[in-house]
Structure formats: structure tokens, C-alpha cells
Amino acid sequence: MTAYILRRLLQTVVVILLLSYFCYLLMTLMPGDPVDEMIMANPEITSADIDRLRALHGLDQPVWVRYWNWASSIASGDLGYSRTYRVPVTDILGPRLLNTFILAGAALLVALIVAIPLGVWAALKKNSSADYVINLFAFAGISVPSFWIAIVLILVFAVYIPIFPAGGTGSIAFDMTPWESFVDRLKYLVLPVLSLSFLSIGTYVRYTRAAMLEAMGNDYIRTARAKGLSWPRIYLMHGFRNALIPLITITALSFSTLFSGAIITETVFAYQGVGQLVFESIQSNDFNVAMVAFMISVSMVLLMNLIADLLYGVADPRISYA
């Protein structure tokens, strides 16, 4: 297994380098750069000043040279400086990463807690009224736009029934105890988590139901019945465990998607996460922040792929990593 992990890590590094270069190339094709912004701010700037500033920022060099300089700085631990916030990228990205990690992790946990029992129940009660209702709920979750469910949650639980805050990450207060701060943070998390998890529940329900139906139709289920095993043991140890492999795949990929793609949800709820930061950085041409956030998102996707592959062996001992 060690050789397999090392091989996958090497492949991951190669993919990150290739994707980062193409993303860097696309960023250079965007209109506007730091010097253009300075020109707009100071119409009296001279052409000599423009040339000097472009040389200072390295904008007079070929793309591959600029990419090499940027990648070398990243490899040395220097993530650069934010042009918009005028602070190091690490200072602004660290808290945003933690916020998004909490949001994505909580949404994934809620979605799995709700979706897996519903998917298993729908599979065991195939073509029943419960199955039809659960499938209707799943299709509604898949079809509803993310911004719509977010706005509905705000209207219901922040306007008409003012239970939770409409947006933000936490209250601005300096005299709260750790427990009060924790409870306050939970209040601001409820609506974004419900919005994100509702969008994922439908997908998980459909995958769980399909995987469970396939597992329950195999010969080993018939053999377990013939041996007189109890139904809970057949469902859990033989059916559900063999249905875990496709579920592991979709869960691992979904976490990385939630982590890197919650832009709409974070924007609607004004949640201070990575998604909103990337959106603002691209709008303001904040190159360093956007590129580092992209690198983190790509790394998350590849890392979750690796974790999913390793979990296959836990769910099914027949899988070998030789």
C-alpha cells in the first residue's frame, strides 16, 4: 500500500502543477493588471513610470518565467500579498479556509445523517408509498437552485419567523464567553448548512438507494437468507457494506465540491468563506488570492480522491493495492 500511496501522491503533484500553470495562463489573459489599476487611479502617470512598474511587478517577462517565479515563491512558503486587502494572503485566507471547512463539514455531516437512512429505507421499500415520497423529496433537492433555497430559508427563518440571523459569520462582541461564542457561531451556521445540505441530500439519497438495490439483488444476499441470518444482519453486514463503495466515491467528491464550490451560498448569506473570497478576488483581479485558493481547491479534490480509494479497501477487503 505504501508504494500505491507514493505513486498517487506523485501523480497528484504532477496534476497540480499542470492545472496551476493553465490557471495561471488564463489569469494572465484577464483584462487589467496592477499597473492598469495604477494608471486608472493616476491619469498623470508617465510612460516611463508605466514601464518601470511593469518591470517591478515582472509583467514584462514571458508567462512561463512569471509562473516559475510565482511557483518558486509558493514552494518556499511565500503566498504573496493581496492587492485588494493590502495584507499577506495567509492572513486573509487562513480564517476563510477555517470558515469554509466548518461549513462544508457540517453540511456534509447533516446530509449523510439524513440521506443514508432515507436511501436505505427507499431501497428496502421499493415501489411503495414511502419510496415514492422519498424519491420526490430527492428530486426536489436535486432540482431546486441553490440561491432559491437560500432565499427561502432567509425569508422563513430570518424575516417571517426571526429565529436565525439572515447572514454573516458571527456577532461582533468582545465580552462573550467561549460557550456564548460557540452558540453564537452555531446560529449563523444553521441556515447556510441547511441550504448546502438540502442540495446534497437528494444526490446522496439516489446513490444510496441505487447502490442498496444492486447489493440486495446479489447472490450472497440469497445465501445469507438461506443460512437463516437475521434481517438486520443481512441489511447491515451484507447489503449496506457492499453498497458503501459507490457511496464513498460520491461522498469524497462531494466534500471537495462543497469545500470549493459554495460560492453562491456564501455570497447569499454573506458568509466569510473561501468561495466568497474567490469571487471577490476574481472581480477585483486579486491574482495572488485567487491562485492560492484555486490551488487549495484542486488539492482538496485530489486528496479526497486518494482518501476514497483507500477507504475502498476498508469497505471491501477483496480490493488490493498491490
Side-chain angles (χ1 to χ4, degrees):
M1 180 180 289
T2 302
Y4 173 80
I5 294 176
L6 292 176
R7 187 168 62 251
R8 285 294 303 273
L9 289 176
L10 179 60
Q11 294 172 357
T12 298
V13 172
V14 173
V15 171
I16 289 176
L17 288 175
L18 291 175
L19 288 177
S20 64
Y21 178 76
F22 284 114
C23 183
Y24 191 96
L25 180 62
L26 290 174
M27 291 290 290
T28 59
L29 297 178
M30 291 179 60
D33 55 39
V35 176
D36 292 332
E37 295 177 3
M38 295 177 188
I39 294 174
M40 294 176 61
N42 183 13
E44 298 180 358
I45 192 171
T46 64
S47 58
D49 293 331
I50 295 175
D51 294 337
R52 179 177 56 83
L53 289 171
R54 291 192 180 278
L56 179 64
H57 289 276
L59 299 176
D60 58 338
Q61 299 176 342
V63 174
W64 68 269
V65 174
R66 291 153 58 187
Y67 170 77
W68 175 258
N69 294 333
W70 173 81
S72 300
S73 299
I74 294 293
S76 64
D78 181 13
L79 303 185
Y81 216 76
S82 171
R83 300 170 184 170
T84 304
Y85 297 94
R86 302 293 189 268
V87 295
V89 174
T90 51
D91 292 350
I92 186 174
L93 199 57
R96 296 293 189 100
L97 278 174
L98 179 60
N99 290 339
T100 297
F101 183 82
I102 294 173
L103 175 62
L108 179 64
L109 182 61
V110 171
L112 291 177
I113 290 174
V114 175
I116 290 178
L118 289 179
V120 172
W121 182 254
L124 298 180
K125 299 294 182 180
K126 182 181 177 182
N127 296 328
S128 66
S129 299
D131 184 27
Y132 293 142
V133 172
I134 292 173
N135 275 294
L136 178 63
F137 173 72
F139 282 119
I142 296 172
S143 305
V144 171
S146 57
F147 67 89
W148 186 86
I149 187 61
I151 293 173
V152 169
L153 288 173
I154 291 174
L155 287 175
V156 173
F157 296 107
V159 178
Y160 299 124
I161 308 175
I163 302 175
F164 302 108
T169 309
S171 300
I172 302 176
F174 302 98
D175 56 348
M176 289 191 296
T177 65
W179 173 251
E180 290 174 340
S181 178
F182 175 74
V183 173
D184 179 73
R185 184 65 181 273
L186 283 181
K187 290 180 181 179
Y188 281 87
L189 270 175
V190 170
L191 295 186
V193 166
L194 287 178
S195 177
L196 271 183
S197 59
F198 184 80
L199 300 175
S200 304
I201 286 173
T203 302
Y204 295 148
V205 166
R206 296 295 299 167
Y207 271 95
T208 304
R209 180 182 182 275
M212 195 68 181
L213 284 175
E214 182 180 357
M216 294 302 293
N218 288 322
D219 293 337
Y220 52 79
I221 297 295
R222 190 181 303 110
T223 303
R225 290 176 180 174
K227 291 170 62 177
L229 297 180
S230 62
W231 282 108
R233 183 176 178 86
I234 293 174
Y235 292 150
L236 295 177
M237 299 302 297
H238 296 276
F240 182 67
R241 184 171 182 178
N242 285 278
L244 274 178
I245 291 181
L247 191 59
I248 288 173
T249 303
I250 189 64
T251 301
L253 294 179
S254 295
F255 179 77
S256 57
T257 303
L258 287 174
F259 188 85
S260 59
I263 297 178
I264 296 177
T265 301
E266 291 182 354
T267 302
V268 172
F269 288 102
Y271 188 83
Q272 300 298 307
V274 175
Q276 186 188 34
L277 179 64
V278 171
F279 179 72
E280 295 172 352
S281 300
I282 293 175
Q283 279 191 322
S284 59
N285 199 16
D286 198 344
F287 176 82
N288 288 328
V289 175
M291 279 299 301
V292 173
F294 167 79
M295 293 284 289
I296 294 173
S297 300
V298 170
S299 301
M300 282 294 301
V301 173
L302 297 174
L303 178 61
M304 295 308 296
N305 266 320
L306 176 59
I307 292 175
D309 289 343
L310 296 178
L311 288 177
Y312 292 157
V314 177
D316 190 349
R318 295 171 297 177
I319 297 178
S320 173
Y321 296 100

